[in-house]
Amino acid sequence: MKHITFFALLLVCISCSSKKDAHTQSNIDAVISTFQHAASISNPADKEARVDAIWDSLTINNLIPVTQDSTVLFLYRGNVESVSWNGDFNSWSGDTRFRNKGSNIIGTNIWFLRQSFPSNARLDYKITINDENWIIDPANPYQQWSGFGPNSELRMPDWKEESLTKPMEESPKGSLSAHKFLNSKSLGYKIQYRVYTPAGYDKFQNLPVLYTTDGQEYSDQQLGAVPTVLDNLIHLQRIEPVLVVFVEPLNPDNTDENRRMDEMGMNEDFLTFFAEELIPDIEKGYKVNPTKENRVILGTSLGGLNAAYFAFSRPDLFDGAAIQAPAFWYREGIYDLVKDAKESPSTIYMSVGTFGDNTDDARLMKRLFNQEGIKFSYLEVNEGHSWGAWRAQIDDILINFFGNRTN
């Protein structure tokens, strides 16, 4: 009975905030001291039972990592020589200034790392065992997929999940086509893409069009979830129905070959492919509005660079650019292109994370936009270079460009 009472009190302690009483021991300190207390038990069997009970109380209630206000306690249990945590917060081990090494609670196989982040942060991470084995956090049920598979997800207390990325049962579902192919004369090879058409497509005319690069990821429910967000927003009448073209950089004959480094690096041939081949093909085959005011280009990272390049090179082609986490460092000539442009797209959305992202690039472009008197929307989030951040912005992007003006 004493053990039940003790662990019930522990759960109360680690589940409640100490904001109301600054003198109350913090949840983080309580967890550490509870493990330390268990470590002091002399009888090995009793000690193991106590550690088991504490660990189970945390994992069953999905409390690892333990978070409170702006503090996080990463935890790992295992008989290993060393434990560290790598993720967005240290550029996946690239930023050696970040203290990422775990400490062992002597007498147990519990390892911990205490750190501070903004209370609304959401960050991807992995645990590194013995400086070589990178693993998903086995005690954390939350994961975020990347283009290279899943990562564990740190959700700080004030971070809110975007509900529109999840399918709503009542939302009529649009259609995502099978792969279509174009043998590009401009590029000298075959391009594959897919097309989203909204529910009830047959009754529509003159639909606006969103073109995305990295289409295989923007269309994936675990990554960009764009079709789901479209279905929900159209159903809620928050945006007009939209047609989306998901252009993929993968070689159709060998999908392990990704051409994005070439295609999205201010590639004039890639722009010509859009202007002279892809857009005419879409406008011939679908009921879309063929004016620049009804075309938007969207991309992230190198795709963000590409979106800016397309829109400022051909504002007659794209009147809107959605630029996520832009890798402007890859082609710094983009700044001169913007500076020298005689015309700019009328609607620009740019976003970036503050952890391990292209933050400096985006801020430099933001200053340039301001200097040149270019109108734009700008967002910084306490997240990393991650689909978790980009997916959560899709609703804002769609509303920004295609918002239902009758509501």
Side-chain angles (χ1 to χ4, degrees), residues 123-136:
L123 301 166
D124 291 13
Y125 73 94
K126 278 188 168 75
I127 297 175
T128 306
I129 306 301
N130 299 334
D131 294 324
E132 59 182 13
N133 187 19
W134 292 51
I135 64 170
I136 296 292

Side-chain angles (χ1 to χ4, degrees), residues 64-175:
I64 295 177
V66 183
T67 62
Q68 181 181 3
D69 300 333
S70 297
T71 304
V72 58
L73 181 69
F74 291 106
L75 290 167
Y76 176 76
R77 188 180 188 188
N79 297 312
V80 298
E81 295 180 3
S82 68
V83 181
S84 59
W85 281 261
N86 293 291
D88 291 327
F89 40 78
N90 69 337
S91 298
W92 296 94
S93 78
D95 184 355
T96 57
R97 297 168 299 177
F98 183 89
R99 184 176 61 83
N100 71 330
K101 298 294 184 182
S103 299
N104 175 240
I105 296 178
I106 304 301
T108 75
N109 60 357
I110 303 296
W111 296 77
F112 72 92
L113 173 67
R114 179 175 182 157
Q115 272 291 351
S116 295
F117 300 114
S119 65
N120 64 349
R122 191 214 60 82
L123 301 166
D124 291 13
Y125 73 94
K126 278 188 168 75
I127 297 175
T128 306
I129 306 301
N130 299 334
D131 294 324
E132 59 182 13
N133 187 19
W134 292 51
I135 64 170
I136 296 292
D137 187 339
N140 181 358
Y142 300 114
Q143 295 182 4
Q144 172 56 53
W145 279 74
S146 72
F148 302 97
N151 295 316
S152 292
E153 184 178 58
L154 167 63
R155 299 176 169 188
M156 295 299 285
D158 292 333
W159 176 81
K160 304 297 182 186
E161 187 173 14
E162 176 50 69
S163 62
L164 290 171
T165 62
K166 303 293 179 62
M168 295 170 56
E169 185 176 348
E170 63 271 28
S171 296
K173 303 302 183 281
S175 298

Side-chain angles (χ1 to χ4, degrees), residues 24-96:
T24 301
Q25 185 182 33
S26 77
N27 301 347
I28 306 297
D29 291 337
V31 173
I32 295 173
S33 63
T34 302
F35 276 121
Q36 290 173 334
H37 181 270
S40 68
I41 297 174
S42 57
N43 183 290
D46 289 346
K47 178 195 296 186
E48 186 73 11
R50 181 67 61 86
V51 171
D52 285 345
I54 300 169
W55 188 259
D56 289 347
S57 70
L58 292 166
T59 56
I60 290 171
N61 289 276
N62 296 335
L63 293 172
I64 295 177
V66 183
T67 62
Q68 181 181 3
D69 300 333
S70 297
T71 304
V72 58
L73 181 69
F74 291 106
L75 290 167
Y76 176 76
R77 188 180 188 188
N79 297 312
V80 298
E81 295 180 3
S82 68
V83 181
S84 59
W85 281 261
N86 293 291
D88 291 327
F89 40 78
N90 69 337
S91 298
W92 296 94
S93 78
D95 184 355
T96 57

Side-chain angles (χ1 to χ4, degrees), residues 322-341:
I323 303 166
Q324 294 187 284
F328 294 145
W329 57 268
Y330 191 66
R331 292 288 185 267
E332 293 186 353
I334 189 65
Y335 298 111
D336 289 332
L337 177 65
V338 170
K339 194 179 207 179
D340 297 337

